[in-house]
Amino acid sequence: MEAILTENFEASFSKLSAQDLEIKQQLFAKVLTLVDLSVLDGMDKNLAKAQIRDCCNGLLNELPRPINLETRQLLIKLVLDEILGLGPLEMLLADPSISDILINSHDNIYVERKGKLTKVPVKFYDNNHLLNIIDRIVSTVGRRVDESSPMVDARLKDGSRVNAIIPPLALDGPSMSIRRFTVEKLKAQQLVDFGSMTDEMNKLICAAVVGKLNILISGGTGSGKTTLLNIISGYIPEDERIITIEDSAELQLQQPHTVRLETRPANIEGNGEVSQRDLVKNCLRMRPDRIIIGEVRGGEAIDMLSAMNTGHEGSLATLHANNPRDALARLENMVCMGGFDMPVRNIRTQIASAIDLVVQLQRQEDGRRRITSIQEVTGMEGETLTMSEIFRFERQGKDANGLIQGKFVATGIIPTFHRQLIAKGIDLPHSIFGDDGLLRL
């Protein structure tokens, strides 16, 4: 029955009246007085559910107003989710078609399916109810949210990314956004099948990772940077030691020799902060074969570039940028933000020497995420960083359904690192760089 409710949660929830929701709150409060939560924590989950369900049925039978079977089962599920899970969020998290959950306020919730936003009838009882759920989420990863620290990044058990912001910064009450990560890990071939890239582009990226080139994944918010980073990290050989550095741990690497590091915010006294830059410096003493930075966003950029230029090849990182050239410009700005008084030419020389490949992602209007450009950083000409585009996506309009039409094009340029890869025994035929590899959508 829970599976049926989950599949039709929107229709079921929309039928609940304000009086039904009031009964749910009363039911929840009474169950808390009758059930010892400390005992439930150490109990088998199915047994705990059975006990709570029996308790709820008994209390509902005492109500003067009869409740139909569907409403009764939904109210019991809401109470179960409240005690053992994350309240109304559980129904949304159980729907695999939802990629984003956007909570603007306790009674104003949107979800994204296949790139499109829709409002759902699911809601929290009030702002305090939502705030309690936020606190439950962030406390599991050792973080806190209160008036002195009203913004927080956290994650769910499945790796989904959570951001919450509360009053006084959020004027209309607590707000939360959840970026979902699929339980089933995507493979590179699935991106090819989805039309996010071609097989030739995949072969180039695979060869670049195995050949220990330094790769920067660039794109806007929600373009799929972390997803792509997870996928291509799978090409790293299992006998290499990998160290990941993230603000909020999201990467899900499958290699056995992996060390995961996560930043720590300052405590309530403003002490104890550990930044990404601190972790990058520390990981250089941990004998890494590969360094993976979840997102470069500040002064750690100079330490990352230094690592790439001093023998730590094959590093991977993501950053926010609209195109590959903007990505390099942002790296340059981040080095300056770190407080380093270096000539611009020296910074650009460091970037040209460190970064080999920039992979640009875009989430387009039809909701599909595509690799729109793969460019090699070839060096410097005077004061300018030079790049060569190897693959690009050429738009050709939209069809009647609003889907973007276009094709992936190999520009015919053979990258300068091609010989380097061949010398390492990596087979990368010249044919993948020609026009015979384009894919029409």
Side-chain angles (χ1 to χ4, degrees):
M1 181 53 67
E2 283 189 22
I4 296 173
L5 287 173
T6 298
E7 289 175 6
N8 304 293
F9 76 90
E10 290 184 47
S12 300
F13 205 100
S14 61
K15 294 177 183 176
L16 292 179
S17 65
Q19 189 176 6
D20 290 330
L21 292 176
E22 186 66 37
I23 290 173
K24 176 258 174 183
Q25 283 300 105
Q26 295 172 3
L27 190 62
F28 172 59
K30 288 181 180 178
V31 170
L32 289 183
T33 63
L34 297 174
V35 175
D36 189 343
L37 296 183
S38 61
V39 174
L40 288 181
D41 285 340
M43 190 182 293
D44 175 75
K45 191 170 184 180
N46 290 327
L47 185 59
K49 281 186 176 182
Q51 285 202 10
I52 296 171
R53 192 177 289 112
D54 290 343
C55 185
C56 288
N57 275 317
L59 291 169
L60 288 172
N61 290 336
E62 297 173 2
L63 291 177
R65 179 174 71 91
I67 298 177
N68 65 59
L69 182 61
E70 182 184 358
T71 301
R72 173 186 285 257
Q73 289 170 337
L74 183 56
L75 291 177
I76 292 174
K77 171 153 177 50
L78 290 174
V79 172
L80 282 168
D81 291 340
E82 201 70 49
I83 295 174
L84 301 176
L86 299 175
L89 283 181
E90 290 293 335
M91 288 189 176
L92 301 175
L93 294 170
D95 187 343
S97 68
I98 294 176
S99 57
D100 286 297
I101 302 171
L102 307 174
I103 303 168
N104 299 332
S105 60
H106 75 275
D107 58 353
N108 187 15
I109 302 175
Y110 286 79
V111 299
E112 181 187 287
R113 290 188 181 94
K114 298 180 180 179
K116 302 297 181 182
L117 286 175
T118 55
K119 188 174 182 178
V120 292
V122 175
K123 56 186 177 182
F124 294 84
Y125 186 71
D126 55 23
N127 282 336
N128 285 333
H129 184 198
L130 174 55
L131 191 58
N132 287 337
I133 297 298
I134 291 174
D135 190 58
R136 191 179 301 178
I137 291 172
V138 302
S139 62
T140 59
V141 291
R143 303 203 172 184
R144 63 186 177 84
V145 60
D146 50 41
E147 285 192 8
S148 63
S149 180
M151 297 184 294
V152 66
D153 288 314
R155 64 182 180 277
L156 301 180
K157 290 179 181 178
D158 64 357
S160 296
R161 180 190 314 167
V162 179
N163 176 269
I165 183 166
I166 68 171
L169 300 187
L171 301 181
D172 298 321
S175 176
M176 178 165 56
S177 59
I178 301 175
R179 302 288 308 281
R180 298 289 305 284
F181 287 93
T182 55
V183 176
E184 179 187 355
K185 305 297 182 291
L186 286 175
K187 304 292 183 184
Q189 186 57 47
Q190 289 174 282
L191 293 190
V192 175
D193 296 339
F194 294 157
S196 296
M197 64 177 175
T198 64
D199 191 49
E200 289 72 23
M201 295 162 75
N202 179 36
K203 287 178 180 176
L204 172 64
I205 293 172
C206 175
V209 174
V210 175
K212 303 194 88 171
L213 300 183
N214 295 319
I215 302 175
L216 195 60
I217 300 172
S218 166
T221 300
S223 59
K225 298 185 296 298
T226 303
T227 299
L228 182 63
L229 182 56
N230 261 322
I231 291 171
I232 70 174
S233 65
Y235 294 134
I236 299 174
E238 291 196 352
D239 60 349
E240 294 190 15
R241 177 174 169 83
I242 306 168
I243 297 180
T244 67
I245 298 169
E246 302 173 84
D247 265 340
S248 182
E250 299 162 4
L251 295 175
Q252 299 166 328
L253 275 62
Q254 303 305 308
Q255 288 84 344
H257 202 170
T258 301
V259 178
R260 303 168 71 210
L261 305 180
E262 184 179 56
T263 62
R264 185 178 70 185
N267 61 21
I268 196 168
E269 289 85 18
N271 302 320
E273 179 182 10
V274 179
S275 67
Q276 280 203 142
R277 188 170 180 202
D278 296 327
L279 293 180
V280 172
K281 288 179 179 178
N282 187 77
C283 88
L284 298 179
R285 306 184 183 100
M286 298 173 67
R287 196 234 171 258
D289 290 314
R290 306 267 187 160
I291 300 172
I292 300 179
I293 301 179
E295 183 181 337
V296 185
R297 61 179 72 187
E300 68 274 7
I302 184 64
D303 300 290
M304 180 192 74
L305 294 175
S306 298
M308 290 177 174
N309 282 321
T310 53
H312 295 89
E313 300 172 321
S315 297
L316 305 172
T318 75
L319 58 69
H320 281 78
N322 294 325
N323 57 62
R325 186 159 291 281
D326 278 354
L328 300 187
R330 282 213 67 209
L331 266 184
E332 183 181 322
N333 290 338
M334 288 176 195
V335 173
C336 296
M337 284 165 54
F340 294 95
D341 187 17
M342 294 172 60
V344 171
R345 179 177 175 82
N346 289 5
I347 297 174
R348 291 176 181 171
T349 302
Q350 284 261 334
I351 294 172
S353 177
I355 306 297
D356 297 302
L357 203 64
V358 180
V359 179
Q360 181 69 34
L361 284 154
Q362 186 179 9
R363 179 180 176 276
Q364 298 178 317
E365 303 98 287
D366 58 1
R368 299 176 72 179
R369 295 163 173 85
R370 293 182 175 91
I371 295 178
T372 54
S373 181
I374 299 180
Q375 297 194 25
E376 178 193 17
V377 181
T378 53
M380 293 272 293
E381 284 187 6
E383 298 287 326
T384 305
L385 282 162
T386 56
M387 306 179 76
S388 295
E389 191 164 45
I390 305 169
F391 290 98
R392 68 172 177 266
F393 177 74
E394 291 185 350
R395 290 180 58 148
Q396 297 176 331
K398 293 184 179 181
D399 65 12
N401 298 318
L403 297 177
I404 292 173
Q405 299 296 293
K407 62 183 180 181
F408 290 101
V409 176
T411 62
I413 296 175
I414 298 174
T416 58
F417 57 71
H418 183 258
R419 285 188 179 181
Q420 175 186 338
L421 296 179
I422 296 297
K424 291 182 177 181
I426 300 169
D427 183 24
L428 197 62
H430 285 79
S431 59
I432 75 167
F433 304 109
D435 291 335
D436 58 334
L438 62 83
L439 171 72
R440 296 189 182 277
L441 297 179

Coordinates of all heavy atoms in Angstrom, one line a residue, residues 284-326:
L284 N 48.3 17.4 -0.6 CA 49.6 17.3 -1.3 C 50.6 16.5 -0.4 O 51.5 16.0 -1.0 CB 50.1 18.7 -1.6 CG 49.3 19.5 -2.5 CD1 50.0 20.9 -2.8 CD2 49.1 18.8 -3.9
R285 N 50.3 16.4 0.9 CA 51.2 15.6 1.8 C 50.7 14.2 1.9 O 51.2 13.4 2.7 CB 51.3 16.3 3.1 CG 51.7 17.8 3.1 CD 51.8 18.4 4.5 NE 52.1 19.8 4.5 CZ 51.3 20.8 4.6 NH1 50.0 20.4 4.9 NH2 51.6 22.0 4.6
M286 N 49.6 13.9 1.2 CA 49.0 12.6 1.4 C 49.3 11.6 0.3 O 48.6 10.6 0.1 CB 47.5 12.7 1.6 CG 47.1 13.5 2.8 SD 45.3 13.9 2.8 CE 44.6 12.3 3.1
R287 N 50.3 11.9 -0.5 CA 50.7 11.1 -1.7 C 49.6 10.7 -2.6 O 49.3 9.6 -2.9 CB 51.4 9.9 -1.2 CG 52.3 9.1 -2.2 CD 51.8 7.7 -2.3 NE 52.4 7.0 -3.5 CZ 51.8 6.7 -4.6 NH1 50.5 7.1 -4.8 NH2 52.4 6.1 -5.6
P288 N 48.9 11.7 -3.2 CA 47.8 11.4 -4.1 C 48.4 11.1 -5.5 O 49.3 11.7 -6.0 CB 47.0 12.7 -4.1 CG 48.0 13.8 -3.9 CD 49.0 13.2 -3.0
D289 N 47.7 10.2 -6.2 CA 48.0 10.0 -7.7 C 47.0 10.9 -8.4 O 47.4 11.4 -9.5 CB 47.7 8.6 -8.1 CG 48.8 7.6 -7.5 OD1 49.9 7.9 -7.6 OD2 48.4 6.5 -7.0
R290 N 45.8 11.1 -7.9 CA 44.9 12.0 -8.5 C 44.2 12.9 -7.5 O 43.9 12.4 -6.4 CB 43.7 11.2 -9.2 CG 44.2 10.2 -10.2 CD 44.2 10.7 -11.6 NE 44.5 9.6 -12.5 CZ 44.3 9.7 -13.8 NH1 43.7 10.8 -14.3 NH2 44.6 8.7 -14.6
I291 N 44.0 14.1 -7.8 CA 43.3 15.1 -6.9 C 42.0 15.5 -7.7 O 42.0 15.9 -8.8 CB 44.1 16.3 -6.6 CG1 45.4 15.9 -5.9 CG2 43.3 17.3 -5.7 CD1 46.4 17.1 -5.7
I292 N 40.9 15.3 -7.0 CA 39.6 15.7 -7.6 C 38.9 16.7 -6.7 O 38.7 16.5 -5.5 CB 38.6 14.5 -7.8 CG1 39.3 13.4 -8.7 CG2 37.3 14.9 -8.3 CD1 38.4 12.2 -8.9
I293 N 38.7 17.9 -7.3 CA 38.1 19.0 -6.5 C 36.6 19.2 -7.0 O 36.4 19.4 -8.2 CB 38.9 20.3 -6.7 CG1 40.3 20.1 -6.2 CG2 38.2 21.5 -5.9 CD1 41.2 21.4 -6.3
G294 N 35.7 19.0 -6.1 CA 34.3 19.0 -6.5 C 33.9 20.3 -7.2 O 33.2 20.3 -8.2
E295 N 34.3 21.5 -6.6 CA 34.1 22.7 -7.3 C 35.1 23.7 -6.9 O 35.3 24.0 -5.7 CB 32.7 23.3 -7.0 CG 32.4 24.6 -7.8 CD 31.0 25.1 -7.5 OE1 30.1 24.3 -7.0 OE2 30.8 26.3 -7.6
V296 N 35.8 24.4 -7.8 CA 36.8 25.4 -7.5 C 36.0 26.7 -7.5 O 35.3 27.1 -8.4 CB 37.8 25.5 -8.6 CG1 38.9 26.5 -8.3 CG2 38.5 24.1 -8.9
R297 N 36.1 27.4 -6.4 CA 35.3 28.7 -6.2 C 36.1 29.8 -5.5 O 35.5 30.8 -5.2 CB 34.1 28.3 -5.5 CG 34.3 27.8 -4.1 CD 32.9 27.6 -3.4 NE 32.3 26.4 -3.9 CZ 31.0 26.0 -3.6 NH1 30.3 26.8 -2.7 NH2 30.5 25.0 -4.1
G298 N 37.4 29.6 -5.2 CA 38.0 30.7 -4.5 C 39.6 30.5 -4.5 O 40.1 30.1 -5.5
G299 N 40.2 30.9 -3.4 CA 41.7 30.9 -3.3 C 42.3 29.6 -3.5 O 43.6 29.6 -3.8
E300 N 41.6 28.5 -3.4 CA 42.2 27.2 -3.7 C 42.7 27.0 -5.1 O 43.4 26.0 -5.4 CB 41.3 26.0 -3.3 CG 40.1 25.8 -4.1 CD 38.9 26.7 -3.7 OE1 39.1 27.6 -2.8 OE2 37.8 26.6 -4.3
A301 N 42.2 27.9 -6.0 CA 42.6 27.8 -7.4 C 44.1 27.8 -7.6 O 44.6 27.0 -8.4 CB 41.9 28.9 -8.2
I302 N 44.8 28.7 -6.9 CA 46.2 28.8 -7.1 C 46.9 27.5 -6.6 O 47.9 27.1 -7.2 CB 46.8 30.1 -6.3 CG1 48.3 30.2 -6.6 CG2 46.5 30.0 -4.8 CD1 48.7 30.5 -8.0
D303 N 46.4 26.9 -5.5 CA 47.0 25.7 -5.0 C 46.8 24.5 -5.9 O 47.6 23.7 -6.1 CB 46.5 25.4 -3.6 CG 46.8 26.5 -2.6 OD1 48.0 26.7 -2.2 OD2 45.9 27.2 -2.2
M304 N 45.6 24.5 -6.5 CA 45.3 23.5 -7.5 C 46.2 23.6 -8.7 O 46.7 22.6 -9.2 CB 43.8 23.6 -7.9 CG 43.4 22.6 -9.0 SD 41.8 22.9 -9.7 CE 42.2 24.3 -10.8
L305 N 46.4 24.8 -9.2 CA 47.2 25.0 -10.4 C 48.7 24.6 -10.1 O 49.4 24.0 -10.9 CB 47.2 26.5 -10.8 CG 45.8 27.0 -11.4 CD1 45.9 28.4 -11.7 CD2 45.5 26.2 -12.7
S306 N 49.1 25.0 -8.9 CA 50.5 24.6 -8.4 C 50.6 23.1 -8.4 O 51.7 22.6 -8.8 CB 50.8 25.2 -7.1 OG 50.7 26.6 -7.1
A307 N 49.6 22.4 -7.9 CA 49.7 20.9 -7.8 C 49.7 20.3 -9.2 O 50.5 19.4 -9.5 CB 48.5 20.4 -7.0
M308 N 48.9 20.9 -10.1 CA 48.9 20.3 -11.5 C 50.2 20.6 -12.2 O 50.6 19.8 -13.0 CB 47.8 21.0 -12.3 CG 46.4 20.6 -11.9 SD 45.1 21.5 -12.8 CE 43.6 20.7 -12.3
N309 N 50.9 21.6 -11.8 CA 52.2 22.0 -12.4 C 53.4 21.4 -11.7 O 54.5 21.6 -12.2 CB 52.4 23.5 -12.5 CG 51.6 24.1 -13.6 OD1 51.5 23.6 -14.7 ND2 51.0 25.3 -13.3
T310 N 53.2 20.6 -10.7 CA 54.3 20.0 -9.9 C 54.1 18.5 -9.8 O 54.4 18.0 -8.7 CB 54.4 20.7 -8.5 OG1 53.2 20.6 -7.8 CG2 54.9 22.1 -8.6
G311 N 53.7 17.9 -10.8 CA 53.7 16.4 -10.9 C 52.4 15.7 -10.6 O 52.3 14.5 -10.7
H312 N 51.3 16.5 -10.1 CA 50.1 15.8 -9.8 C 49.2 15.9 -11.1 O 48.2 16.7 -11.2 CB 49.4 16.5 -8.6 CG 50.1 16.3 -7.4 ND1 51.1 17.2 -7.0 CD2 50.1 15.4 -6.4 CE1 51.6 16.8 -5.8 NE2 51.0 15.7 -5.4
E313 N 49.5 15.0 -12.0 CA 48.8 15.0 -13.3 C 47.5 14.2 -13.1 O 47.3 13.5 -12.2 CB 49.6 14.3 -14.4 CG 51.0 15.0 -14.6 CD 51.9 14.2 -15.5 OE1 51.9 12.9 -15.4 OE2 52.5 14.8 -16.4
G314 N 46.6 14.4 -14.1 CA 45.3 13.7 -14.1 C 44.3 14.3 -13.1 O 43.4 13.6 -12.7
S315 N 44.5 15.5 -12.7 CA 43.5 16.1 -11.8 C 42.2 16.5 -12.5 O 42.3 16.9 -13.7 CB 44.1 17.3 -11.1 OG 45.3 17.0 -10.3
L316 N 41.1 16.5 -11.7 CA 39.8 16.8 -12.3 C 39.2 17.8 -11.4 O 39.3 17.8 -10.1 CB 38.9 15.6 -12.4 CG 39.4 14.4 -13.1 CD1 38.5 13.2 -12.9 CD2 39.5 14.7 -14.6
A317 N 38.4 18.8 -12.0 CA 37.8 19.8 -11.2 C 36.6 20.4 -12.0 O 36.5 20.2 -13.2 CB 38.7 20.9 -10.8
T318 N 35.6 21.0 -11.2 CA 34.5 21.7 -11.9 C 34.5 23.1 -11.5 O 35.0 23.5 -10.4 CB 33.2 21.0 -11.6 OG1 32.8 21.4 -10.2 CG2 33.2 19.5 -11.7
L319 N 33.9 24.0 -12.3 CA 33.6 25.4 -11.9 C 32.5 25.9 -12.7 O 32.1 25.3 -13.7 CB 34.9 26.2 -12.0 CG 35.6 26.4 -13.3 CD1 34.8 27.2 -14.3 CD2 36.9 27.2 -13.1
H320 N 31.9 27.0 -12.2 CA 30.8 27.6 -12.9 C 31.3 28.6 -14.0 O 32.1 29.5 -13.7 CB 29.9 28.4 -11.9 CG 29.0 27.5 -11.1 ND1 29.4 26.8 -10.1 CD2 27.6 27.3 -11.3 CE1 28.4 26.1 -9.6 NE2 27.3 26.4 -10.3
A321 N 30.9 28.4 -15.2 CA 31.2 29.4 -16.3 C 30.3 29.1 -17.5 O 29.8 28.0 -17.7 CB 32.7 29.2 -16.7
N322 N 30.1 30.1 -18.3 CA 29.2 30.0 -19.4 C 29.9 29.4 -20.7 O 29.2 28.9 -21.5 CB 28.7 31.4 -19.8 CG 27.8 32.0 -18.7 OD1 27.1 31.3 -18.1 ND2 27.9 33.3 -18.5
N323 N 31.2 29.5 -20.8 CA 31.9 28.8 -21.9 C 33.3 28.6 -21.5 O 33.8 29.0 -20.5 CB 31.8 29.8 -23.2 CG 32.4 31.1 -22.9 OD1 33.5 31.3 -22.6 ND2 31.5 32.2 -23.0
P324 N 34.1 27.8 -22.3 CA 35.4 27.4 -21.9 C 36.4 28.6 -21.7 O 37.2 28.5 -20.8 CB 35.9 26.5 -23.1 CG 34.6 26.0 -23.7 CD 33.6 27.0 -23.5
R325 N 36.2 29.6 -22.5 CA 37.1 30.8 -22.3 C 36.8 31.5 -21.0 O 37.7 31.9 -20.2 CB 37.1 31.7 -23.5 CG 38.1 32.8 -23.4 CD 38.4 33.5 -24.7 NE 39.1 32.5 -25.6 CZ 40.4 32.3 -25.5 NH1 41.2 32.9 -24.5 NH2 41.0 31.5 -26.3
D326 N 35.5 31.6 -20.7 CA 35.1 32.2 -19.4 C 35.6 31.4 -18.2 O 35.9 31.9 -17.2 CB 33.6 32.3 -19.3 CG 33.0 33.5 -20.0 OD1 33.8 34.3 -20.5 OD2 31.8 33.6 -20.1

